[in-house]
Amino acid sequence: MTEGEHSSAGELSSFLHLSGWRPLFLALVAGLAGAVGLFLALGEPSQWVSRYVINGQRVAESNLQPGQLDIFVEEIVQTSRFPVVVDEVERETGLVHEEDYEITISQAPASVALANVNVVADRPEDSQAVAVQTSISALRVTLVKNRTGLEANRDRLDREVANTTARANDLIGEAGGVSPDTAYTAAANRLLEQRSDPDPDVSTARLEADVARLEPLDTEYRQLQTSLAQLNVRLGDLNNSISEASGHIEALDREPDAPFIISEVITEETSRIAKLLTGVMLFAIPAALLTILGFVAFDGFRRRSLEPLVPSQPIDSYGILDANSQRALPEASVTKLQVVDEADLLAEDEGAIPVGEAIDDIVDDPDDDPEPKKAKDSRWGRSA
């Protein structure tokens, strides 16, 4: 470990208040808590997972394109989460969602026609029953809803066919009881014969009037016949789709005994490693955090109780300490003031004793003291 790593480790230990015997105590507490979590996790019952596959192509309409098939399978996946499906599964199996089992249904990434069903329960038979019943319920609800939509379209087409047929019958009545195309063809042929070989007993103007009257009837009638043909084709496709959906709905009742749409992949016991690790971490981490908080609180309380209380000195309004025997500076010493008479200042001019000697006579000679004393507040043991 480098010097920087040692420094970082020391700062972290200081921050967490871990020093001396405390890391060992922390490890002991976390280990005991983790052991408790592991013991509780081992006591929980094992769980089983069942994986099934729904083949949506086997219940979809035969003429669906890949994009439409993708939408159909996605609709099955979404329907499996509806409350009506969950309630039906609970009613048929007696198992409550999120209490007795967990289920996940998703579209297979490898194929748009497949949906994956994963169920986790305490017993293998429970997981299998939930997977099958959920798939059947989701398929039934989806197929019934689609069949209802198909039947609504069929009813709409039936009304459209009826209206078109009624209009065609009206045109037939206007054409004289025959189809307008037949009447118009006959009138046009008579007019051509009259023009090529005129008959004096037949009015050419009347023949031309009949052709002019029947021509729009013939045009509309032909359009109606084309529309009726298209409507009948679409109506036939819808009837076939409705029949297929009804057949698939009836086949769902036989699915548990004779699987055709829903296939089991595997049913196995789930791995307990994740559960054991979760149990250990669920107890060890909170215990370690509480122990560290205990160290921090203890150190803070002890530091607060050991710190001495230092009374502060009163300060006057001018910021000067109250008068006492303590000097302002430790090295400072006080020298007595010497009063010099004005006459002494003139003594030098008059031949008197020099001022310096007069001052020496007044001030005590320090040599008279046998042992000079150190300054009272001298820091270094010398006078300032």
Side-chain angles (χ1 to χ4, degrees), residues 53-60 64-74 76-77 106-116 139 261:
V53 173
I54 301 174
N55 192 338
Q57 193 169 9
R58 294 179 178 176
V59 292
L64 288 185
Q65 301 297 322
Q68 296 173 327
L69 181 60
D70 185 12
I71 295 174
F72 176 72
V73 175
E74 180 63 25
I76 296 174
V77 173
S106 60
Q107 197 166 5
S111 175
V112 297
L114 303 179
N116 296 327
L139 286 169
I261 307 168

Side-chain angles (χ1 to χ4, degrees), residues 340-351:
V340 180
D341 191 6
E342 184 178 359
D344 295 335
L345 298 177
L346 301 175
E348 184 177 357
D349 296 336
E350 298 176 357

